[in-house]
Amino acid sequence: MSEHRRKPPQPQEGGRAAARRGQSGSSSGRRAAPRGATGSPSDSYGSGFHGPGGEDPSSGGRADARRAAQRSAGGRRRAAEPAGGRRGGPSGPPGRGRPAPAKKRLVDYPRAGKYGWQRWVPSWKLVTGLFVGFMGSLVAVAGVGYAMVAVPKVDETATAQNNVYYWSDGSQMVATGGETNRQIIDLSQIPEAMRWAVISQENKTFYDDSGIDPKGIARAVFNMARGGQTQGGSTITQQYVKNAMLNDQSQTISRKFKEIFVSIKVGAEEDKDDIIEGYLNSAYYGRNAYGIQAAARAYFDKDAIKLNEGECAFLAATLKGATYYDPAGATSIDASATPEANRKRALTQMQDTLDKMVEYKHLDAAKRATFTTLPKLENPRSNTQLSGQTGYLVDLANGYVITHSKETGITQDKLQQGGYSIYTTFDKNKVKQLEKAVSAVQKANIKPKERPDTDTHVQFGGASVNPATGAIEAIYGGEDATKHFTNNADQTGAQVGSTFKPFVLAAAMSWGVRDKDLGSSQAQDERTIVSPKSLFSGKNKLKIKKYDGTIWKNEKGEEWLQTNDGQASYGSPPNFKIDLREAMRESVNSAFVQLGMDVGLDKVKEAAMSAGIKESSLTGADFPSFSIGISDPSAIRMAGSYATFAASGKQRDPYSVQKVTSRDGVIYTHKTETKEGFTSKVANNVTDVLKTVVEKGTGSAAQLPGRDVAGKTGTTDGNKSAWFVGYTPQLSTAITMFRYDDDETKKNRTFLEMFGTGGQKKIHGASFPAEIWHDYMAEAMKNLPKKSFPEPEPIGEVLNEDPIPSPSPSVTESEEASPSPSPTPTESEQPEPSPSPSDTCNNFFGCDNNSGGANGGGTTDGGTGTTSPSPSPSDTGDVTRGNGNGGFLGGSSG
């Protein structure tokens, strides 16, 4: 091929041009170097060099030209490199000026090639990778967990055992409380309204979800991680799994995860109708009813298929926790679970469920409008084993176990599952003797058919406490636990009247009265201890004074005129001086109301609490009438507080359970804690004064021949409750009597007057309550040795001997005109000798002159503690039932 026809591209300053220049310089014997070969432009044109022997390099031809061109191009590339290129500059490799390549890392963190804060900001690649890895791990764990769990069998886990209750002597009382009251029925026997009521309220997406609620689970796990309880987050499937399939009911993260995996598997493998059927058949509705059929019988005495929409909505409410939604109440477990509060909660929840059923198109609005009140309910007890006093005793023991769950380790759920042996403090013989004493008096005197206006709704309650231990040895809760649900031994709301006066005396002998000559701040520190011989005015319609001598007035600016029972004045005119022993013996209101004001009602309250009364049952501590019993402690707490005096001031809380065992052995043993409620000097002096009440005063019906007895009678405003609380060195017993409208269908039930009840013009603590106390204690003390109370040491100073007591010598015209805080009793209300067999009333003693609230400055009934201290005559009507906080656990049973 012709050289001229083959013309490849010639590199700059290379190739043939270079060759030609080389040839042109051959005459000098030198070869031209390619331009740029030495890095200098002149080198391409300067002097060449001759090869050996002066041979012309052009003889190499095209190959040499091509190599020269390549060298020229390489030189230009190197010229374009950074300054340190080939000579070991900073960017070169080691030894030659160029950086070593960075080693690649699996996780580029901290980030290479970044400086300052950017070095620590992860790249999006890193974040994405970690997220993908985390989610993958979760999926893997979930997959393994799902594969490992199996759906448990319902029949193996949804069973429960009895709890066995024992008397104090170790003999068996009853086996009950934990048995499974359940009848399994198929879905066709469950009303469609029941299914939709539960679904609408609990899990509206039931038929569409996978069996779990991720948001709810996250919330529950977070709560548990913080040490709290799981709250919400459970679908119907999860609740079914928990109730019917999982033996372990603990609230732990591991158990929650197990529940989740089982729920997912159940949701995937079982039909939704089967799940809702299983749930409604295994859920707990209260009243020991497991399953919808048992619940329908327990609450409405009908088969489940016959439940209407309102009844279904109500039962759906009980699934949230029967303790707080059963209208019968559950104060033995929680003081706030009163019948009134539970009815309100249940009605609100029922209405909300019905509204949601309408909203989700499961109920017609017109049909829904017919259910605006709670349905009519059956009595909460149907177990004949719990008839008589047994039901009250079991309730009391259960309440104690649950309210002391920190010590017993037994929650309500665990107690319902059963398997416990509960050894109570109840003395079988004493319980029978107390029931017999009440029944005898009731049968002989209370005749509702003959006197329907006065003898209906009459109730009795009682309790006995051992002063040495605090053990509750006997109670009387009512005629029959299957017919009368409220335990009359515990928080009835009945005011205690003059049985509160011993706490006023104890306060006066513990802290003393304030010095009237000092300012309010100094008077708190300067006090004088009071002797039982101190003199106070027994005058009727006494103007009550503050400790500084000024007249006490109510919020309307009206003066307080304190009356006595029967409008009687005690002591000799003109000053009506009477010592505190006599004032207690005759239950003189005016003397103790004034004493309470001089001591300070805060100290009176403190004395009551020191004796064992719970603060939650004390009401009206800002008003003078507080000293004469407008509060409503239970019979158990009153017996326990008087037991403090019997034990020379040592206070021990009442309790009803001595020991609890299970298959794991003994899991709880009661330990008696002793506190100093009062000094022995104070307590023994109070006892000595109360002995006078039984020996010569209003409590003479309680005398036990050959035994030391101390006690106090009490009657309240409107004659709506009457009490006798008394004790021997070995046993303290409180008896209460009241009329209470126990009709569950009435919205506002009230205490009723007892004028004419039992054929008596007025009921006093000295009549039926003292008679019952006597008959019971005579039997209960038969086998116990006779003991005497300790002799009291002299205490305090005799006050008001000189100068003459402050009350006016006579009722002046202005005093008669002063507004009285309570209406003057009519002639028919005046006490007459009692026709009771003990014939305790006479003209001298005035038939238990202890009005409590009636003549105590216008207090009102009901125990709510919200009444005005001085209502007008028209304001002395009834109020609704008490606050329910008078239980011996301060609102909780035990």
Side-chain angles (χ1 to χ4, degrees), residues 17 90 127 187 196 199 228 231 326 339 373 502 572 578 661 712 759 829:
V127 173
L187 195 62
W196 291 123
I199 291 171
Q231 298 176 359
D326 184 349
T373 60
S572 302
I578 183 174
T661 65
K712 184 71 188 74
E829 294 173 346

Side-chain angles (χ1 to χ4, degrees), residues 102-113 119:
K103 292 183 179 179
K104 291 185 177 180
R105 293 181 293 173
L106 181 62
V107 178
D108 184 19
Y109 192 83
R111 298 176 66 184
R119 179 175 173 81

